[in-house]
Amino acid sequence: MKAKPTATHVHLETFGCQMNEYDSELVRSLMKQDGFVFTDDRERADVILMNTCAIRENAHNKVYKHLSELRKLKQQRPLVVGVLGCMAQNLKEELTDVQPLIDVLAGPDAYRQLPMLIRNAMLSQEEGLDQKGFAVDLSEYETYHDVIPDRLDGVNAWIAVMRGCDNFCSFCVVPYTRGRERSRDPEGIVQEARRIAEQGFKQITLLGQNVNSYRYGDWDFAKLITAVADVPGIERVRFTSPHPKDFPPSLLEAVASHPHICKQIHLPLQSGSDRLLGLMNRTYTNKEYRALVDRIRTLRSDIVLSTDVICGFCGESDEEFSETYRLVEELRFHSAFIFKYSERKHTIAARRFPDDVSEPIKTERVTRLFNLQRNISYERNREYLKTTVPVLVEGNAKRSAEQGMGKSDGNITVIWNKRAISSQPGDIVSLAIYDASSTTLYAESPPVHESSAPRPPQNHFGKLRSKTEHF
Ligand code: SF4
């Protein structure tokens, strides 16, 4: 038997959602245990892995672009190329036929096999063979409960509490790429939360494709999130992504009353039309969704609500789009992810419903809804003016190292001048808000020479995306 190669350098790129980021932490952990070394430098890498997303069209396109770049690199030197995650699972034939440069494919339930697949691919290359390693079987049981993710530094740690999804929303590929829903043992999750607190993280985000349908024995999601929020040292607990059908009173009460559970709920709407909600298999009506929002806001009016909306789903008429528009106008979310419908291979919608709304109409509807939401987000954010907001400090603002950046309890970005306010990542500081755009709150007292006149709405209110997604 050949000796393991030493110091094999791996470059891992992640595309898509938070669940994929989390899976990359699992992959790093599993591979480091096996002696692999990670590098940020693609030029130095012996192995290049892409953890991919089949849900987001942008991520999908980026992966294909990267693959064509890698073709050149692979002609110059020995290199193992691996595609992991949802695209590996969903597009295996396409990827291997169209992209013969791929040596390893591993679906979301096959990461434990990755070190072996990569070693085999390296040996095969050394011996001049063209042997590929594919592992794309879905599991009913795999939750990686015993793998401690290799987390990057920061204030937030993710914990995946369940994997897969049984909902089969007709537009969504997740049940096919990530398999059936299964929840992790709650004791293991709480233990992991304790370890995270000891490592100094201040916030935990509980992840799952349909996170609030978590169920393990007599533990439901309300019991789980409360137990995690009770862990000493954890200041904030968030969760994503929930389904509107899984909000029993116990969960709403936990969110409303527990001091460490953030007052923020992401509540994917997708459409305001009952006919389309039926075609999407969302299992709620416009009226039921509205009633849930009412219940949440009656419990606590300060809970920040965000949503996802799909424009131009199969057969969406002008009037059906108007129903969505009116509902978004009425419910006044703090922010929204607005997507153009884009057909995903293997989904129920792809098999049963023609993608028959034209591209210009989809664009026009997305733009109208986007403009509406941008103005609502702007008005919502300006409700914080002259209030004091507790902010979890994350670090420097993206645009300037002289500005600090953190998040409000409701997950709204807050920016301030570091010369005026001193803080460290992980601190929770109370900041006075003096200005707001559609995406950001600005803290600190305005300098005397600067006008504090209201800013016009900024060019974006969050994220405008061109396709369906869940995270
Ligand atoms: S949209 Fe969410 S709830 Fe629906 S099938 Fe996809 S992952 Fe499951």
Side-chain angles (χ1 to χ4, degrees):
M1 191 173 142
K2 296 202 178 184
K4 282 181 184 178
T6 51
T8 299
H9 286 81
V10 182
H11 179 75
L12 171 62
E13 291 184 56
T14 308
F15 302 85
C17 65
Q18 288 165 329
M19 196 65 159
N20 265 20
E21 297 283 351
Y22 180 81
D23 278 3
S24 287
E25 295 179 352
L26 295 176
V27 166
R28 280 200 302 273
S29 172
L30 287 162
M31 292 189 62
K32 280 184 177 177
Q33 281 170 36
D34 223 278
F36 290 91
V37 175
F38 280 78
T39 174
D40 290 337
D41 182 1
R42 196 163 83 165
E43 301 303 316
R44 266 195 87 196
D46 308 298
V47 178
I48 295 181
L49 300 177
M50 279 169 280
N51 191 5
T52 62
C53 173
I55 311 173
R56 297 183 174 182
E57 192 168 41
N58 271 351
H60 183 281
N61 294 340
K62 270 191 207 160
V63 170
Y64 275 99
K65 186 164 169 272
H66 272 58
L67 282 170
S68 50
E69 289 165 16
L70 291 185
R71 193 185 304 280
K72 287 180 216 134
L73 214 57
K74 205 169 167 176
Q75 281 160 1
Q76 293 158 13
R77 62 182 172 85
L79 179 68
V80 167
V81 174
V83 174
L84 321 180
C86 294
M87 265 178 85
Q89 190 70 44
N90 202 38
L91 301 175
K92 39 192 181 280
E93 292 86 15
E94 183 180 319
L95 277 172
T96 46
D97 292 351
V98 180
Q99 303 286 351
L101 85 157
I102 295 169
D103 304 293
V104 170
L105 276 185
D109 289 343
Y111 299 144
R112 289 180 200 269
Q113 297 174 55
L114 202 48
M116 180 267 293
L117 292 172
I118 290 172
R119 292 232 150 80
N120 286 348
M122 292 178 82
L123 282 176
S124 155
Q125 276 191 5
E126 275 168 35
E127 289 164 6
L129 304 170
D130 184 26
Q131 205 174 315
K132 314 270 182 198
F134 299 160
V136 290
D137 286 343
L138 289 171
S139 159
E140 284 179 40
Y141 309 103
E142 182 61 271
T143 60
Y144 300 105
H145 66 281
D146 55 339
V147 181
I148 299 172
D150 182 52
R151 298 191 163 92
L152 302 176
D153 291 340
V155 300
N156 177 74
W158 293 307
I159 304 180
V161 301
M162 48 94 76
R163 294 178 77 86
C165 183
D166 285 349
N167 288 333
F168 291 91
C169 298
S170 64
F171 53 80
C172 181
V173 78
V174 163
Y176 310 95
T177 59
R178 289 186 171 269
R180 303 313 297 262
E181 185 175 305
R182 63 271 185 198
S183 295
R184 274 180 62 185
D185 168 11
E187 306 293 344
I189 294 168
V190 175
Q191 237 174 40
E192 190 171 338
R194 286 202 200 99
R195 202 166 39 234
I196 284 168
E198 281 161 19
Q199 289 169 343
F201 290 97
K202 298 293 176 196
Q203 175 176 288
I204 289 177
T205 304
L206 301 180
L207 293 179
Q209 269 82 25
N210 178 188
V211 69
N212 51 338
S213 77
Y214 175 91
R215 169 67 62 180
Y216 194 100
D218 65 345
W219 284 67
D220 64 3
F221 190 65
K223 191 170 171 186
L224 179 74
I225 194 170
T226 304
V228 171
D230 283 342
V231 169
I234 294 301
E235 300 290 343
R236 290 184 171 181
V237 181
R238 303 188 189 279
F239 57 100
T240 195
S241 211
H243 191 293
K245 73 179 170 50
D246 292 312
F247 276 99
S250 57
L251 178 55
L252 293 180
E253 274 152 29
V255 174
S257 62
H258 197 295
H260 296 303
I261 301 179
C262 291
K263 308 303 164 233
Q264 174 224 347
I265 297 178
H266 184 66
L267 207 57
L269 166 65
Q270 309 304 8
S271 174
S273 147
D274 285 344
R275 190 186 76 88
L276 290 187
L277 287 170
L279 288 185
M280 290 175 175
N281 193 28
R282 289 295 288 174
T283 69
Y284 52 83
T285 61
N286 170 318
K287 194 173 162 198
E288 285 161 347
Y289 184 95
R290 193 191 266 122
L292 175 59
V293 170
D294 275 354
R295 276 206 303 284
I296 293 169
R297 288 184 170 153
T298 304
L299 265 178
R300 263 190 91 128
S301 58
D302 61 345
I303 289 180
V304 168
L305 290 182
S306 55
T307 197
D308 296 336
V309 182
I310 298 172
C311 294
F313 185 68
C314 312
E316 183 186 68
S317 67
D318 285 343
E319 176 48 29
E320 285 164 339
F321 170 71
S322 297
E323 287 180 73
T324 303
Y325 187 95
R326 287 195 296 269
L327 194 58
V328 169
E329 194 171 34
E330 175 194 327
L331 295 179
R332 296 179 55 76
F333 301 101
H334 278 79
S335 62
F337 294 103
I338 298 170
F339 312 103
K340 255 187 228 179
Y341 173 65
S342 117
E343 190 175 274
R344 304 282 91 190
K345 270 193 178 170
H346 306 315
T347 57
I348 297 168
R351 281 179 274 134
R352 293 198 194 147
F353 314 131
D355 178 10
D356 54 0
V357 177
S358 72
E359 197 56 28
I361 289 178
K362 284 181 185 169
T363 303
E364 194 254 332
R365 289 178 185 168
V366 163
T367 307
R368 278 183 59 201
L369 205 55
F370 176 81
N371 289 338
L372 169 69
Q373 182 59 48
R374 181 185 57 187
N375 288 330
I376 295 171
S377 296
Y378 177 68
E379 288 165 11
R380 279 294 202 184
N381 281 353
R382 295 194 72 80
E383 290 167 9
Y384 291 95
L385 297 188
K386 299 187 182 157
T387 67
T388 300
V389 171
V391 175
L392 176 58
V393 178
E394 293 193 1
N396 290 339
K398 277 192 192 141
R399 289 195 186 155
S400 164
E402 293 184 2
Q403 291 180 319
M405 190 281 284
K407 290 284 169 76
S408 72
D409 188 275
N411 212 26
I412 303 171
T413 300
V414 184
I415 302 274
W416 61 93
N417 183 336
K418 282 164 64 180
R419 274 176 298 169
I421 296 163
S422 138
S423 61
Q424 297 296 321
D427 288 350
I428 294 191
V429 288
S430 285
L431 299 181
I433 304 301
Y434 80 91
D435 201 358
S437 70
S438 49
T439 57
T440 308
L441 305 178
Y442 297 91
E444 81 179 87
S445 304
V448 280
H449 59 272
E450 197 177 283
S451 164
S452 60
R455 296 174 183 207
Q458 302 295 297
N459 227 2
H460 54 99
F461 66 90
K463 290 172 186 153
L464 175 66
R465 294 181 179 163
S466 60
K467 48 155 301 313
T468 59
E469 71 171 86
H470 203 279
F471 282 97

